[in-house]
Amino acid sequence: MENITKYDPFLSHFETLIDEKQINNKSSKNKIDLFSSSLGSCQFSSTSSDKPPILPCPTSTIDSFSIKKSLISNIETSGSQLTPLQFDFFSLIHNYYDVYYPNRTNINDVGEQLRFVICLHLINHVLKTRSRILSHNAKLKENPDLDYHDQGFTRPKVLIIVPFRESVRRIINCFENLLLTMDDSEKNDQIQMSHRKRFKEEYGGEEIDNENNDSKFQRTSNEYNEIFAGNIDDHFRLGISVTRKSLKFFQSVYKSDFLIVSPVGLRTLLEKRHRKRKHKQSSDSSESDSDNENTNENKASSIADFLSSIECIYIDQLDILSMQNLDHLFYILENLNCIPQQATSSTDFSRIRHWSLNGWARFYRQLIVLSSFTSPLFLSLFHRFSTNYSGQCLIQPSFPLNGYIRPLSTFNQLFQRIPVCDPTLRFNYFIEHILPRFDTSAYEHTLIYLSSYFDFVRLKNYMRTEKHKQFNYLTLNEYSTKKQILLARNIFYHRQVRFLLMTERFHFYHRYRIKGIRHILFYDLPSYGHFYPEIVQFLTLPHVIDKKKTTQTNQTDEPSTCTALYAKEDALKLAYILGQNAVTDLLNSEKNTHLFTNK
């Protein structure tokens, strides 16, 4: 049995009982700016008086960290060498700081590098927890009078939230590489892996079919192929129990160390438990009204009791999760670390940590968030649920130097600043000042790009129900069937249609190249910076020329236009599209319109 030294971050973090004043004193945070060549700029904030992290990482050897010897041995046996990025990032999470990293890209396998060291940290955490409990169990057998507090209310310690089953498969590959050596993985695979065959069947998948990558699609980018490789089913939940040399898949939530879930998969389970509990309450006629009220107040802690002792949360590819439904993610995070109202059969209250009994588990919980870009919503999520007393490390986003404007100098691109940002005020401003300008014969075949599905529904309903105007429009959204997509594209290209409303999620999932577009109007800026040039490139595709109109005016075609609406609150989106230097000029300028031309 390995001994854990007093300098181990695991021991110092979870066995320190923080002061209640430190919990209530959230306003006085110490902030320190850090920098490393691999991570970039980082802002560290904490209410604790402990030493801040050191960047860049002062060590370049994996055995200098407090990691289980078996894991270090397997890493050395495999011949893996950690990069400076991995060392810097691991030095932060190893000390149980909350980390927000908005620069997860596929360049140089940054995402895979970070996934490996995060899995190393999480397995090390679970193995140390198990090792400490077993060590205390042995001591208690010899002396029952000893007092140890080393457990939570339930067994699950790590919650991993990812968008697709393919992400789960890659995480499991990291687990296997860390837990199994090259020599014994082939000999004892069946003994060490429980339900491995079932896991391969349910979480395996084929690569993207490249036969469809013709002129109709933009599926040739590495970014798209990386996101949608393998099994992209987004409804799953997997419980895993881990020992030093084994992995057991498909465990129940109360017998799992790891819970690897998609947001919709875990929310489905929570709502199912809620319905069962509600049905049980309604069938129990002997309960009094006051008892029912108390039960309703404790509803969240009852349906999510298996999440009461989560100590580490790893949210990967938050940008992709936002393309699914972030409401599910917020719902899950809101139900974490609630004190259960009923104990399970395996709960030993004499071994539960004092801070768990105090309801302070969220202040010891570590949150690791990775995304390919940042946004106010992402930052709000991190700051809201990052309650770790050790501190928070906020990695600053890296923006393209010159943005995506210069490579697209063929067409004039107009950026127009609007005075409102609130969704309702923005919509009212759009239908009063912007839409009438485009609702003329000069703007036939205009694509209106909307990043929010709610704005899409609002604008579609307005065009459909407006009494004073008959709008000529078509729609494409993420819920459109293949038949609807084919019909809409065909009609838009061959007929006189004024507007085509398209959602950002439609482009994210399908990447169709829409022909026939003469004008583009961005209702708001794309969330992904590289979506802007992909959409603008639609103007270079063939479109049908109105012969009657060209005969009367003696012109071959009208010049295409691109207009993007933005508010001051869209500074982050602008930075990804225009580059950081140009954004400063736009936001500080007194002009509301800025035209980018090829002259």
Side-chain angles (χ1 to χ4, degrees):
M1 194 74 64
E2 296 181 32
N3 294 325
I4 302 177
T5 65
K6 62 180 180 180
Y7 302 106
D8 185 359
F10 170 84
L11 182 64
S12 62
H13 180 76
F14 291 100
E15 303 242 344
T16 299
L17 186 62
I18 57 178
D19 189 0
E20 188 172 357
K21 294 181 180 179
Q22 184 176 343
I23 294 176
N24 298 327
N25 189 17
K26 298 180 180 180
S27 58
S28 60
K29 282 190 175 183
N30 302 319
K31 295 184 178 181
I32 301 176
D33 293 328
L34 306 171
F35 178 81
S36 75
S37 58
S38 61
L39 289 176
S41 300
C42 171
Q43 185 182 74
F44 174 76
S45 59
S46 175
T47 58
S48 175
S49 59
D50 296 339
K51 294 182 179 180
I54 300 176
L55 287 179
C57 179
T59 181
S60 59
T61 56
I62 192 66
D63 55 1
S64 62
F65 295 97
S66 181
I67 303 175
K68 300 286 287 186
K69 292 182 179 179
S70 59
L71 298 178
I72 295 178
S73 176
N74 290 343
I75 294 175
E76 294 175 347
T77 303
S78 65
S80 301
Q81 297 292 332
L82 299 187
T83 63
L85 171 65
Q86 290 177 309
F87 273 112
D88 289 344
F89 194 85
F90 187 77
S91 66
L92 297 178
I93 61 177
H94 182 62
N95 287 282
Y96 289 94
Y97 301 123
D98 287 355
V99 179
Y100 176 80
Y101 185 80
N103 304 317
R104 186 194 189 282
T105 64
N106 299 321
I107 302 175
N108 299 325
D109 293 328
V110 169
E112 297 302 321
Q113 290 184 42
L114 297 180
R115 178 182 282 134
F116 180 81
V117 293
I118 292 173
C119 290
L120 171 62
H121 167 66
L122 298 179
I123 287 184
N124 184 59
H125 173 78
V126 170
L127 292 181
K128 283 189 173 183
T129 301
R130 178 178 179 274
S131 177
R132 192 159 182 79
I133 292 175
L134 293 178
S135 175
H136 290 167
N137 289 344
K139 294 180 180 179
L140 286 172
K141 287 183 178 180
E142 298 177 358
N143 185 1
D145 296 332
L146 294 176
D147 186 21
Y148 291 114
H149 299 275
D150 51 12
Q151 300 179 19
F153 292 102
T154 54
R155 179 171 176 175
K157 294 292 180 289
V158 176
L159 177 64
I160 301 177
I161 304 176
V162 290
F164 301 125
R165 288 179 183 257
E166 171 65 16
S167 305
V168 182
R169 187 189 67 81
R170 297 186 183 188
I171 289 174
I172 296 303
N173 285 343
C174 293
F175 284 2
E176 293 178 359
N177 294 334
L178 291 168
L179 291 173
L180 304 177
T181 61
M182 298 298 293
D183 296 332
D184 60 8
S185 61
E186 297 180 358
K187 299 178 183 178
N188 303 324
D189 183 69
Q190 293 182 354
I191 298 176
Q192 296 168 343
M193 301 291 176
S194 176
H195 304 293
R196 186 68 169 87
K197 183 178 180 180
R198 177 186 169 189
F199 174 79
K200 288 183 178 180
E201 292 175 351
E202 296 188 11
Y203 287 83
E206 299 179 357
E207 298 297 325
I208 295 177
D209 185 8
N210 292 322
E211 294 181 358
N212 291 328
N213 291 345
D214 54 21
S215 59
K216 297 180 181 180
F217 304 93
Q218 287 184 336
R219 297 182 179 177
T220 57
S221 66
N222 294 330
E223 174 260 348
Y224 182 88
N225 294 334
E226 176 67 20
I227 290 176
F228 294 101
N231 191 332
I232 58 172
D233 177 49
D234 63 353
H235 190 285
F236 58 87
R237 49 185 178 269
L238 178 67
I240 301 175
S241 63
V242 180
T243 62
R244 191 176 65 90
K245 297 283 287 184
S246 69
L247 279 173
K248 293 182 180 180
F249 301 94
F250 300 100
Q251 300 294 297
S252 68
V253 292
Y254 294 104
K255 295 183 180 179
S256 302
D257 298 303
F258 292 89
L259 295 177
I260 309 180
V261 302
S262 66
V264 65
L266 184 53
R267 180 162 188 176
T268 301
L269 176 61
L270 295 177
E271 292 184 342
K272 182 180 179 180
R273 290 165 63 92
H274 172 56
R275 287 193 298 268
K276 287 184 177 180
R277 181 175 178 82
K278 189 174 181 180
H279 176 73
K280 183 179 179 181
Q281 291 176 0
S282 61
S283 61
D284 190 358
S285 59
S286 62
E287 280 189 324
S288 64
D289 293 338
S290 60
D291 290 337
N292 282 329
E293 292 178 0
N294 293 332
T295 305
N296 291 331
E297 292 177 359
N298 299 322
K299 174 184 64 177
S301 60
S302 299
I303 64 175
D305 56 352
F306 59 92
L307 301 175
S308 60
S309 300
I310 294 295
E311 297 170 350
C312 297
I313 308 173
Y314 167 33
I315 302 176
D316 196 8
Q317 296 174 293
L318 179 60
D319 53 302
I320 300 179
L321 295 175
S322 68
M323 292 292 133
Q324 296 174 349
N325 193 337
L326 277 184
D327 289 341
H328 300 324
L329 181 59
F330 276 94
Y331 181 83
I332 292 169
L333 297 177
E334 288 168 355
N335 283 279
L336 291 176
N337 300 118
C338 299
I339 298 179
Q341 299 304 307
Q342 295 180 352
T344 63
S345 58
S346 60
T347 303
D348 185 357
F349 282 93
S350 64
R351 299 282 294 273
I352 296 179
R353 294 187 176 100
H354 292 298
W355 46 263
S356 290
L357 295 173
N358 292 341
W360 295 352
R362 65 185 185 277
F363 300 113
Y364 289 79
R365 180 185 67 206
Q366 182 183 34
L367 177 62
I368 305 171
V369 178
L370 270 62
S371 175
S372 66
F373 66 86
T374 189
S375 73
L377 181 60
F378 295 175
L379 291 171
S380 173
L381 181 146
F382 180 77
H383 288 303
R384 176 180 175 183
F385 297 103
S386 175
T387 54
N388 189 347
Y389 81 91
S390 291
Q392 296 78 33
C393 294
L394 195 68
I395 311 298
Q396 299 302 315
S398 59
F399 303 105
L401 182 61
N402 297 321
Y404 296 100
I405 292 296
R406 285 177 175 81
L408 302 171
S409 58
T410 306
F411 303 99
N412 294 341
Q413 302 168 66
L414 178 68
F415 282 76
Q416 179 176 345
R417 184 167 60 198
I418 58 178
V420 292
C421 183
D422 178 78
T424 301
L425 297 178
R426 190 187 195 108
F427 172 77
N428 294 333
Y429 184 88
F430 180 84
I431 62 176
E432 292 176 5
H433 299 89
I434 306 298
L435 189 59
R437 192 176 76 201
F438 282 82
D439 190 23
T440 62
S441 59
Y443 287 96
E444 295 288 345
H445 289 254
T446 296
L447 171 68
I448 301 181
Y449 180 94
L450 302 101
S451 64
S452 170
Y453 180 76
F454 299 104
D455 291 332
F456 165 80
V457 172
R458 180 181 290 177
L459 183 57
K460 182 186 70 172
N461 292 338
Y462 171 78
M463 289 186 172
R464 183 179 59 187
T465 59
E466 176 61 25
K467 298 179 181 179
H468 306 288
K469 179 71 178 176
Q470 185 69 29
F471 286 94
N472 185 12
Y473 71 97
L474 295 169
T475 63
L476 289 174
N477 64 82
E478 56 270 31
Y479 300 108
S480 300
T481 63
K482 290 184 178 180
K483 184 178 180 180
Q484 292 172 337
I485 295 172
L486 180 61
L487 182 62
R489 294 177 64 206
N490 188 26
I491 294 176
F492 184 76
Y493 181 75
H494 290 97
R495 301 183 185 179
Q496 290 296 324
V497 178
R498 184 154 298 172
F499 297 115
L500 175 63
L501 310 184
M502 188 179 76
T503 63
E504 182 171 76
R505 291 180 182 176
F506 174 83
H507 181 70
F508 175 80
Y509 284 105
H510 299 290
R511 309 295 172 98
Y512 284 102
R513 303 177 70 201
I514 310 297
K515 296 180 180 180
I517 295 175
R518 298 183 183 180
H519 310 278
I520 295 178
L521 173 60
F522 287 93
Y523 181 91
D524 52 358
L525 298 177
S527 300
Y528 288 88
H530 63 271
F531 278 10
Y532 178 83
E534 291 179 6
I535 299 299
V536 175
Q537 288 291 350
F538 292 169
L539 296 175
T540 64
L541 301 178
H543 57 264
V544 177
I545 300 176
D546 190 346
K547 295 182 179 180
K548 295 181 180 181
K549 190 173 182 180
T550 55
T551 302
Q552 296 175 358
T553 58
N554 295 324
Q555 295 179 357
T556 58
D557 198 3
E558 295 180 357
S560 299
T561 63
C562 176
T563 304
L565 306 179
Y566 72 94
K568 287 187 176 181
E569 290 77 6
D570 297 326
L572 291 175
K573 288 184 176 182
L574 277 173
Y576 283 110
I577 297 174
L578 301 178
Q580 195 166 7
N581 295 331
V583 168
T584 304
D585 297 337
L586 257 69
L587 296 179
N588 294 333
S589 174
E590 296 180 356
K591 299 180 179 179
N592 291 328
T593 58
H594 298 268
L595 184 65
F596 292 82
T597 68
N598 58 348
K599 297 180 181 180

